[in-house]
């Protein structure tokens, strides 16, 4: 038996963190195996990582299948949750601290319903950030990207190289931009009345 205290009988065994296999909002996955856990599988977010709890006897193939199932389940739950203005402001503060050393300090962050051609806006002179209600229900990493984009405008007003360098700190910038571009492209597709998808 291993001398490692994490591998004692009954103690959870941890699999090293891995990058997520699909478009989940977390940057790493940690699988914890437990001899006490018999049949149930559960998962939760812990900061920037996803923790999946599984029975110790599960095979590697079962582990991979359950990780995928639980990531999809978490993403579905998160997409249904709508943040209020106060939560949005707290999230902006956390993101500023994590990616901009707390230098971007908005005076207000709120949802608005009058932005149908842009995802967010910022008025640096007032320190106000507004996000389009159309973002509600989108994956958390997309909302985080838009918040970071607007927070960056509090530090750099335009979209020059300095602005984009700030956003390079966020590891899901390209993925979030691709997601939003896909939403815009889908809105432009012709909608044929009476057409059915096969």
């Amino acid at each position: 038996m291993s001398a490692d205290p994490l591998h004692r009988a009954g103690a959870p065994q941890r699999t090293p963190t891995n990058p997520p296999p699909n478009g989940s909002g977390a940057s790493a996955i940690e699988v914890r195996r437990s001899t006490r856990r018999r049949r149930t599988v559960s998962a939760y977010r812990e900061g920037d990582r996803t923790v999946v709890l599984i029975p110790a006897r599960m095979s590697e193939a079962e582990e991979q299948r359950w990780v995928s199932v639980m990531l999809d389940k978490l993403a579905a739950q998160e997409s249904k949750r709508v943040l209020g203005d106060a939560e949005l402001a707290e999230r902006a503060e956390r993101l500023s601290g994590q990616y901009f050393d707390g230098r971007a300090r908005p005076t207000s962050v709120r949802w608005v319903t009058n932005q149908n051609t842009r995802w967010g806006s910022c008025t640096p002179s007032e320190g106000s950030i507004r996000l389009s209600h159309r973002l509600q229900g989108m994956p958390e990493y997309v909302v985080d990207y838009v918040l970071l984009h607007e927070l960056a405008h509090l530090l750099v007003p335009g979209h020059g190289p300095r602005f984009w360098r700030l956003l390079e700190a966020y590891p899901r910038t390209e993925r979030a931009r691709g997601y939003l571009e896909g939403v815009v492209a889908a809105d432009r597709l012709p909608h044929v009345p009476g057409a059915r998808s096969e």
Side-chain angles (χ1 to χ4, degrees):
M1 181 179 284
S2 169
D4 181 351
L6 290 177
H7 292 98
R8 290 188 315 241
Q13 297 178 9
R14 299 179 184 207
T15 300
T17 56
N18 304 306
N22 58 24
S24 73
S27 62
I29 301 163
E30 180 179 318
V31 176
R32 296 181 186 170
R33 292 175 172 264
S34 172
T35 56
R36 292 180 188 161
R37 189 173 284 268
R38 298 286 178 220
R39 286 177 289 211
T40 60
V41 175
S42 61
Y44 60 92
R45 302 284 192 214
E46 187 175 81
D48 222 17
R49 111 185 16 199
T50 301
V51 177
V52 181
L53 307 171
I54 64 171
R57 62 175 174 70
M58 226 177 238
S59 70
E60 289 293 321
E62 287 175 310
E63 175 184 317
Q64 288 178 1
R65 183 176 72 80
W66 275 107
V67 165
S68 180
V69 165
M70 297 312 288
L71 287 175
D72 289 344
K73 187 174 179 180
L74 280 175
Q77 289 170 350
E78 290 166 353
S79 71
K80 291 176 186 171
R81 185 175 59 211
V82 176
L83 300 174
D85 288 350
E87 294 168 306
L88 202 58
E90 288 172 14
R91 189 177 206 136
E93 184 179 339
R94 179 180 56 79
L95 289 167
S96 175
Q98 186 174 356
Y99 295 102
F100 303 145
D101 298 321
R103 293 178 294 132
R105 296 188 185 118
T107 56
S108 69
V109 183
R110 62 190 174 95
W111 296 107
V112 293
T113 57
N114 62 352
Q115 290 189 15
N116 295 313
T117 59
R118 57 172 76 186
W119 298 113
S121 62
C122 174
T123 307
S125 61
E126 297 173 2
S128 62
I129 292 175
R130 295 158 305 281
L131 295 193
S132 172
H133 72 286
R134 296 179 305 140
L135 288 165
Q136 293 174 336
M138 289 190 187
E140 287 186 358
Y141 74 94
V142 175
V143 175
D144 285 353
Y145 164 73
V146 177
L147 271 174
L148 281 165
H149 185 105
E150 302 310 330
L151 286 166
H153 279 309
L154 293 176
L155 304 173
V156 179
H159 288 104
R162 196 167 142 242
F163 174 85
W164 292 111
R165 275 195 301 277
L166 280 174
L167 285 180
E168 285 174 3
Y170 184 57
R172 292 177 209 85
T173 291
E174 288 307 313
R175 178 179 285 179
R177 290 182 71 190
Y179 184 99
L180 293 171
E181 287 169 7
V183 170
V184 170
D187 284 345
R188 291 183 183 149
L189 290 174
H191 297 282
V192 181
R196 292 187 330 200
S197 58
E198 299 295 322

